[in-house]
Amino acid sequence: MENKNIALVVGATGITGSNLAAELISQDFTTYGLSRNPNESVKNLIPVKADLLDIQSLENALEHISPTHVYFTTWMRNDTEEENIRVNSALVRNLLQVLSSKKSVKHVALVTGLKHYLGPFEAYSKEGKLPETPLREEQPRLPLPNFYYAQEDEVYAASERDGFIWSIHRPHTVIGYAVGNAMNMGTTLAVYASICKETGRQFIWPGSYEQWNGISDVTDARILAKHLVWASTSEDAKNKAFNITNGDVFRWKWLWFRLADYFGVEAVGFENEIRPLEKEMQNNYEIWKQMVEKYGLNEENLDRLSSAWHTDLDLGRPLEVMTDMKNSRKSGFTEFQSTEESFLDLFKKLKEEKLIP
């Protein structure tokens, strides 16, 4: 019997996309992974090479593919939020326009994040007006330019035109395995801890007082994958926006020491000021190359593993950030993931893949 569910994962090489592709395949979806530079890391994923900013490239790549379920998990980082809006809305618009004539799409899922409530990267550190936490889906959009809003609006417009249903997914910091990802806190901290271990340095908290002491949560890429598949196949989830996190909460002042224990390094907490990781890591390129040689590691380009700028933005926020999961729970999504295990599972995987010693 022919498989009726045909998934197109946009951004299949990223943390979210690669974990989602694996989940879809395990649930018997015929799964295509669209990216500019496909890789073979997910078994049974059918790679599609295309440039989302080039309509002709998309038309050629998707000529013989008629997906029933589209999962949008990618974005492009630009210098300003206005550029982010222009480019990232085009990514969504172009793809849905090319698929429109096929009339095959039943569901489109879009992954955004908590900047929906916090504002763009620059805003929440400078605006001074902090949102109410826990963050809830019904909170109104901020009066600030935000590419997430522009992407949502493209999905809504295409849904009106083509009649598909949609879901919006807003994870907190995504923890999971992928290489070459622009926003990868788990791997960034693993690399930082490995360098501390090698050099005898202390594992110094890079973030704010509020983040150190406040309540936080994160999103395991595996639970996000389950959430995406659930929402795209559940009657109760259609045409809704959802927060998605692991389902537990923690304080960094507890978790930081647990992570340090795993690597056998000395943890240092918040002491009077933010000490950015980007500054801490910028002189480590040579050390990392030596470690790659010494331990036979597989990635000598530190920038492909570590994204200190993003970890600094996350951990430097001047407020505690946690999310309300009520919408998902009421609609029937009850999966749970321990956050400490999210990190430790990732660290074990990075060791297995010889990406850290």
Side-chain angles (χ1 to χ4, degrees):
M1 195 178 94
E2 198 185 344
N3 189 332
K4 290 198 177 65
N5 286 332
I6 300 167
L8 179 65
V9 178
V10 185
T13 54
I15 299 184
T16 299
S18 56
N19 282 276
L20 170 61
E23 179 66 30
L24 285 161
I25 290 162
S26 79
Q27 294 199 31
D28 290 331
F29 280 68
T30 299
T31 307
Y32 293 89
L34 187 149
S35 51
R36 277 177 300 176
N37 302 297
N39 64 33
E40 303 295 312
S41 62
V42 180
K43 194 170 176 278
N44 295 327
L45 177 66
I46 307 158
V48 179
K49 184 178 169 66
D51 178 352
L52 289 160
L53 290 172
D54 179 345
I55 294 261
Q56 194 56 58
S57 153
L58 279 170
E59 284 180 344
N60 295 345
L62 297 168
E63 189 182 353
H64 302 297
I65 302 169
S66 298
T68 54
H69 294 70
V70 176
Y71 302 89
F72 216 95
T73 74
T74 192
W75 70 289
M76 287 182 186
R77 187 185 180 201
N78 297 275
D79 290 339
T80 65
E81 195 59 20
E82 279 68 22
E83 267 303 278
N84 273 336
I85 288 168
R86 187 183 69 76
V87 171
N88 289 294
S89 61
L91 303 184
V92 178
R93 183 169 62 252
N94 291 350
L95 179 76
L96 296 179
Q97 191 179 316
V98 166
L99 292 175
S100 181
S101 61
K102 295 177 184 285
K103 305 204 178 327
S104 63
V105 178
K106 296 177 187 169
H107 189 104
V108 173
L110 172 68
V111 179
T112 61
L114 297 197
K115 290 192 299 297
H116 184 92
Y117 311 105
L118 300 167
F121 285 128
E122 299 72 34
Y124 51 71
S125 44
K126 293 176 188 157
E127 285 296 306
K129 187 177 183 314
L130 302 177
E132 195 63 50
T133 59
L135 302 167
R136 300 177 316 282
E137 291 94 345
E138 67 268 19
Q139 285 171 229
R141 289 182 175 185
L142 301 170
L144 295 166
N146 191 325
F147 80 85
Y148 286 170
Y149 304 163
Q151 286 191 310
E152 282 187 1
D153 289 343
E154 294 295 347
V155 171
Y156 301 151
S159 165
E160 284 283 303
R161 179 189 69 209
D162 297 334
F164 59 74
I165 55 180
W166 51 264
S167 56
I168 309 288
H169 304 256
R170 298 172 187 154
H172 196 168
T173 303
V174 178
I175 305 300
Y177 177 77
V179 178
N181 199 272
M183 306 191 293
N184 198 336
M185 182 198 281
T187 303
T188 300
L189 293 180
V191 167
Y192 173 43
S194 301
I195 290 170
C196 290
K197 172 93 172 166
E198 185 69 13
T199 56
R201 297 200 318 240
Q202 293 172 313
F203 186 55
I204 297 169
W205 168 253
S208 67
Y209 169 85
E210 292 84 355
Q211 280 282 306
W212 178 250
N213 288 294
I215 290 174
S216 198
D217 51 24
V218 297
T219 308
D220 191 301
R222 297 167 299 186
I223 207 166
L224 175 53
K226 285 183 163 60
H227 193 254
L228 280 153
V229 181
W230 161 77
S232 66
T233 53
S234 161
E235 195 53 37
D236 292 334
K238 72 179 194 186
N239 297 349
K240 288 182 189 167
F242 294 101
N243 293 330
I244 169 62
T245 58
N246 283 352
D248 62 0
V249 292
F250 65 92
R251 295 183 203 273
W252 277 106
K253 68 177 182 183
W254 167 80
L255 186 61
W256 195 250
F257 290 94
R258 312 285 287 200
L259 304 187
D261 285 349
Y262 178 87
F263 288 96
V265 292
E266 185 193 345
V268 176
F270 181 84
E271 291 179 352
N272 305 320
E273 61 177 356
I274 289 177
R275 289 172 283 186
L277 191 54
E278 195 161 20
K279 199 170 161 204
E280 180 71 28
M281 294 284 274
Q282 67 193 15
N283 301 318
N284 288 332
Y285 289 87
E286 223 19 73
I287 293 163
W288 185 252
K289 276 194 170 147
Q290 289 162 17
M291 287 170 67
V292 167
E293 202 153 301
K294 179 174 171 184
Y295 298 105
L297 304 180
N298 287 329
E299 182 56 71
E300 71 167 17
N301 181 351
L302 195 53
D303 289 334
R304 274 180 57 75
L305 289 175
S306 146
S307 48
W309 67 272
H310 178 255
T311 297
D312 283 340
L313 283 165
D314 254 9
L315 300 181
R317 291 172 182 155
L319 75 164
E320 62 174 14
V321 177
M322 87 295 282
T323 359
D324 183 281
M325 280 283 287
K326 161 177 96 262
N327 273 13
S328 291
R329 299 293 182 243
K330 279 171 73 174
S331 298
F333 184 80
T334 56
E335 294 275 352
F336 170 83
Q337 167 67 43
S338 146
T339 289
E340 186 178 8
E341 284 170 18
S342 290
F343 279 97
L344 300 187
D345 288 352
L346 171 62
F347 298 161
K348 285 174 194 146
K349 172 85 170 157
L350 291 170
K351 281 190 171 176
E352 277 166 24
E353 300 292 331
K354 295 195 80 70
L355 290 166
I356 59 171

